[in-house]
Amino acid sequence: MPDAITPIGYRSPQVAALTGATFKEVTHWRHIGLVRPSIHDGRNSGDHYRWSIDDVRIIRTVVILRHAGISLDRIRHAQVIAVLASPWHGWQGWLIITPRQAVITTNPAEVAEIVAGEATPLAVLNLAHVTLLDMDA
């Protein structure tokens, strides 16, 4: 991992290395509007995209969900990215994805209530376990 997070953020090859996504996946997800770099969007010719640490964590979460068999359409339909981009959760709690929505909660009782509810969850992910890969490994 880098020694410190700088204001310039992470370039797309670094994001791929930290998340387990391929460079092509990161580029594709950016092109289809699933994810967007929040530091610099690279609009000027020759500029590089710059991703924040939260952007990187969101992409890592997408990788985990894709490995669990959740399609990009389901991720988009449930508005997973918008929910993850909300600043209040601080990457704590559980991300619950149902066929209709994505919810983050820090209340274990609420997790049980949603899981036992009418909609069968597609995924339940403890956000504390969304760790980045070591770029030097």
Side-chain angles (χ1 to χ4, degrees):
M1 301 264 317
D3 294 331
I5 299 169
T6 63
I8 60 170
Y10 297 94
R11 291 181 48 210
S12 295
Q14 294 171 304
V15 171
L18 286 168
T19 62
T22 65
F23 179 78
K24 281 186 173 188
E25 286 173 320
V26 173
T27 301
H28 174 68
W29 296 342
R30 182 181 48 74
H31 279 300
I32 65 171
L34 185 67
V35 294
R36 289 200 175 114
S38 62
I39 293 178
H40 185 52
D41 61 13
R43 286 185 195 168
N44 297 326
S45 177
D47 282 354
H48 297 282
Y49 296 97
R50 297 294 179 167
W51 304 83
S52 72
I53 189 66
D54 283 336
D55 298 335
V56 175
R57 286 184 177 130
I58 288 169
I59 292 170
R60 177 66 181 146
T61 304
V62 170
V63 170
I64 291 168
L65 294 172
R66 294 290 295 128
H67 285 225
I70 308 295
S71 72
L72 292 178
D73 285 339
R74 290 255 188 211
I75 291 169
R76 180 176 295 174
H77 179 72
Q79 299 183 340
V80 172
I81 305 305
V83 169
L84 288 171
S86 65
W88 71 267
H89 62 79
W91 292 93
Q92 299 298 313
W94 294 270
L95 170 66
I96 303 164
I97 303 171
T98 71
R100 293 185 307 225
Q101 66 178 344
V103 177
I104 295 177
T105 181
T106 56
N107 181 342
E110 190 174 5
V111 172
E113 182 180 316
I114 292 169
V115 169
E118 61 186 88
T120 304
L122 301 172
V124 178
L125 178 64
N126 185 336
L127 292 176
H129 294 155
V130 177
T131 58
L132 303 180
L133 306 176
D134 186 352
M135 287 194 320
D136 299 324

